[in-house]
Amino acid sequence: AQSVTQPDIHITVSEGASLELRCNYSYGATPYLFWYVQSPGQGLQLLLKYFSGDTLVQGIKGFEAEFKRSQSSFNLRKPSVHWSDAAEYFCAVGITGGGNKLTFGTGTQLKVEL
Amino acid sequence: DAMVIQNPRYQVTQFGKPVTLSCSQTLNHNVMYWYQQKSSQAPKLLFHYYDKDFNNEADTPDNFQSRRPNTSFCFLDIRSPGLGDAAMYLCATSSVAGGQYFGPGTRLTVT
């Protein structure tokens, strides 16, 4: 069965600093990988996705993620964090085939200090 | 803009009183999902529809039911809400090969 690990439950960064959120997955086949962001009381917004091809994926809001098959990782990065980036971030792996079911990690809560 | 809409955004119901949450989409996606999310937890899939085919997760309580009368709409029925069912309920859609797109959620309170 597939699984996703987000080792950092909470991360605090200063505004303007760089950010990297870690995600490791376990899946027997080629994974579909996603990063979502959730602001308090809101639904999840898709930041970016990896299906195949270029391993460096660009997303919305200046985020990018790099797929590293050898490390089973899909870390999310942003070169300069804004206060509005404070939110919860979820990494997910998709099951190929009918249904596109997602398995989510437990999330990383990002706090941005001004 | 194409989107996923959930109504109501906030729902208060009494213990044991049936409640229905609704979801609509303008994305014309053939797959629709219902998730339950409790505080500080990841979303938990309850069930999904692939077109009209209903797929229930093995650990979804019988208390939760769903209906999808057409491509655009999907409903979540909670037959006898308990205090433990208080949560955010998220609807999502996807095309066959795409990522999932979520609505804003309905916050359910059980009194």
Side-chain angles (χ1 to χ4, degrees), chain B residues 71-84:
Chain B
T71 300
S72 300
F73 285 87
C74 196
F75 300 96
L76 171 62
D77 301 308
I78 308 177
R79 293 192 296 187
S80 182
L83 298 178

Side-chain angles (χ1 to χ4, degrees), chain A residues 2-4 23 25-36 49-51 74 91-105, chain B residues 33 35 96-100:
Chain A
Q2 65 287 340
S3 66
V4 178
C23 173
Y25 68 89
S26 172
Y27 185 52
T30 300
Y32 291 179
L33 295 161
F34 306 84
W35 274 100
Y36 287 87
K49 59 189 176 185
Y50 171 79
F51 285 175
F74 189 57
C91 181
V93 61
I95 302 173
T96 55
N100 287 331
K101 290 168 61 173
L102 295 179
T103 297
F104 286 91
Chain B
Y33 311 79
Y35 289 88
V96 173
Q100 291 186 20

